Structures are given as structure tokens and as C-alpha cells.
Amino acid sequence: MFRYILRRILYMIPVLLGVTLIIFTILEFTPGDPARQILGEDVDEATIEEYREELGLNKPFLVRFGNYVLGVLKGDFGTSYVTKQPVADELFSRYPTTIILSLCSTIIAVLIAIPLGVISAVHQNSFLDGISRVVAMIGVSMPNFWQGLLNIVIFCVYLGWLPSSGFSTPAHWILPAVTIGTSGAAAIMRTTRSTMLETIRQDYIRTARAKGASEKTVIWKHALTNTLIPVSTVIGIRFGSSLAGSVVTEQVFGIPGLGKLMIDSINNRNYPVVLGGVLLIAFAYGIVNLIVDIFYAFIDPRVKSQYVVAKRTKKKAEEPEKNAQEGGKQA
């Protein structure tokens, strides 16, 4: 298991390098001059050129890319063009807020999606199934920014139950978490329903019923346990997506997280912060996928048995060689 985890972490290196190259190239062709954006339109050309030289923008593309990668390997994500502070400090001061928002939205999505998906599959083609599928379709189709604005109008303006911006108290977490969580719940619910429909038709489910197990035990213990194997992948993907998808939601609700920082940095042509933010999100996405793969070993006995069998096979293959070496020593 340890070698598998190490191999997966090493695979992340070329992925992160490719993501950095793509974003670096996109920013290279983005219209606008960061130096002029920061200093303003009234500054003369000589001052603009001097500032570009100070930022290193006049160096060739490959030189700048190589210097950035070397800096990241040393833990240096560069310096913000606007605040003159290290990018790493700005990112890690905002990232906990985004992680809290993503965790809350994922929990809400799971609590809504899995029960609805199970009920929809057990009562296939019923009224409950139809309602669940309509809710899932609305959740998938509704953009987060529009739903966020709608939630603000209803729950903040008209009802006055919740605050419309900020992230200082749990009351501030509810609306943005629900906004992100409902779209994620739709995807998880559809996967749960389709997988559950396939699972409840398996032979071992019929065997469990034939042995006299209650319907509640058959559905929630035998069927749901096997359904969670593919569903856990979708949950992990949705959590990783919420880290990146919270960008728009944080802007709508005025949350001082990583997403809002990146939006402001894009508007200000603050490229080091944009690069660092994308790289951090890509790394978090890779870690989430790794955790999901490790989680497989605990919920799927077939995956765990592969590691056990591989370990036993390796041990048996080493025994003849070890015995031969010991026999040579005795001779």
C-alpha cells in the first residue's frame, strides 16, 4: 500500500507541471499589461518599462517559466504584484475558508443525495422517483451564481433569516454551502440511483432476502455498502470540484476565500497569485483522488485482497532464493 501511495504521489508531479505550463501559457496570451494595470494609464512609458523590468516580464517565456518552476520547488510562489507580499502567505491565509466551504457543501450534498438516490432506486418509476429525478435535473441545470443570488433574495432580503455576505460565523456558511452542495447533490444522487438499481438486482441480494433478512437490512447494509464504491469516487470528484467551483460562489457572497482572491487577481492581472491558486487547487484535487483510491481498500474487499495476494506472491517468490542462500552458507 505504501509503494502504491508513493507511486501515485510521484505521478502528480508531471500533472502539476503540465497544469502550470498550460496556465502560464494562457496568461502569456491574455490581453493586457500587468505593469500598466497596476501603475495606471497616466504613467509614462519609461516608468512602465522600468516596472516591467523589475517584475521580470521582459525576460523570454521559457526563462520565466523555468524560474517560476524552480521557485515553486523551493516553496516560493513568487510575490504579489499588488500587495508586494509573498503569494504563499496570501494563498494559505485564504485557503482554510475555501476548505471549510467545500467540506460543508460536500456534507450537505451527501446527506441529500444518498438517501434520495436509494429511495429513488428502491421505488423505481414511482412518484417519489419522479420527484427525485426532477430535483436532480434542476440541481444540475441551475448555475451556482444564479442560485446564490436567488438564495440571497429569498432568505436575506425577503425573509431576513440569514446574512448575505461574509464568512465569520456558521450562519454565514449556510447559504453558500447550500448553493454549492445542491449542484453536487444532483450528480451524486443520479450516480447513487443508477448504481443502486444495478446492485439490488444482483444474486447476493436475492440470497439475502431468501435467508429472511429484513428489507431494511438488505437495502441499507448489503446493497448500499456495494453502491458506495463508485459513489465514493463521485463524492471525491465533487469535493475537488467544489474547491475550484467555489470561485464564483465566493464572489457572489463576498467570502474572503481563495476563489475571491483569484477573481480579484485576474481583474488586476496579478499573475503570480493566479498561478499559485490554480496550482494549489490542482494539488488538492490530486490529493482528494488519492484519498478516494485509498478509501477503496477499506470498503472494497477485492481491492484489499489484491495487495494481500501480491504480498504473499512476492514472499513465496523470495523463499527459494532465501533458502538457497542459507544452504550455501551452511555448505
Side-chain angles (χ1 to χ4, degrees), residues 29-309:
F29 292 100
T30 301
D33 185 0
R36 185 168 292 280
Q37 179 75 17
I38 296 170
L39 296 179
E41 297 293 336
D42 299 332
V43 180
D44 59 275
E45 194 63 32
T47 305
I48 294 291
E49 194 63 26
E50 182 180 350
Y51 193 65
R52 284 180 57 83
E53 188 70 29
E54 179 184 342
L55 297 178
L57 297 176
N58 290 332
K59 295 180 180 179
F61 173 79
L62 293 178
V63 174
R64 288 187 283 113
F65 177 72
N67 291 336
Y68 182 78
V69 172
L70 291 176
V72 170
L73 293 176
K74 298 176 183 178
D76 180 16
F77 288 84
T79 304
S80 172
Y81 292 165
V82 178
T83 63
K84 306 300 181 182
Q85 299 295 321
V87 172
D89 293 346
E90 292 194 4
L91 292 177
F92 289 111
S93 65
R94 301 286 193 99
Y95 205 46
T97 300
T98 301
I99 292 178
I100 292 174
L101 178 58
S102 299
L103 283 173
C104 293
S105 62
T106 303
I107 291 172
I108 290 174
V110 170
L111 292 178
I112 295 174
I114 292 182
L116 278 180
V118 173
I119 293 172
S120 181
V122 173
H123 303 281
Q124 185 183 10
N125 298 326
S126 66
F127 177 75
L128 289 175
D129 184 24
I131 292 296
S132 300
R133 293 166 69 180
V134 169
V135 171
M137 184 63 66
I138 293 174
V140 170
S141 305
M142 187 181 299
N144 282 349
F145 75 90
W146 187 82
Q147 185 183 355
L149 294 174
L150 189 63
N151 288 337
I152 291 174
V153 171
I154 295 175
F155 296 101
C156 301
V157 177
Y158 287 107
L159 298 177
W161 290 352
L162 297 168
S164 61
S165 62
F167 208 71
S168 56
T169 65
H172 292 84
W173 305 355
I174 297 175
L175 285 184
V178 169
T179 300
I180 301 176
T182 48
S183 60
I188 297 172
M189 179 263 173
R190 295 172 69 181
T191 303
T192 303
R193 179 183 182 276
S194 60
T195 309
M196 193 72 179
L197 284 173
E198 182 181 352
T199 302
I200 59 180
R201 296 188 178 99
Q202 298 297 319
D203 292 337
Y204 66 89
I205 297 295
R206 287 193 289 268
T207 302
R209 285 175 174 151
K211 287 183 176 181
S214 64
E215 189 67 15
K216 181 179 179 181
T217 302
V218 170
I219 296 300
W220 296 100
K221 182 178 179 181
H222 298 289
L224 182 60
T225 301
N226 290 277
T227 302
L228 287 178
I229 297 171
V231 171
S232 62
T233 303
V234 180
I235 294 174
I237 292 174
R238 293 306 308 179
F239 176 71
S241 300
S242 65
L243 292 173
S246 61
V247 172
V248 176
T249 305
E250 288 180 7
Q251 187 72 12
V252 171
F253 288 95
I255 299 173
L258 183 61
K260 191 173 188 304
L261 176 64
M262 291 184 63
I263 292 288
D264 295 338
S265 299
I266 291 172
N267 293 331
N268 296 327
R269 304 293 193 275
N270 196 353
Y271 293 159
V273 176
V274 177
L275 280 167
V278 172
L279 195 59
L280 190 59
I281 291 174
F283 178 76
Y285 211 109
I287 293 297
V288 169
N289 287 333
L290 176 61
I291 293 173
V292 170
D293 290 341
I294 296 173
F295 184 62
Y296 273 171
F298 295 95
I299 63 175
D300 190 352
R302 295 170 296 179
V303 177
K304 189 174 183 179
S305 64
Q306 292 178 1
Y307 296 105
V308 176
V309 171

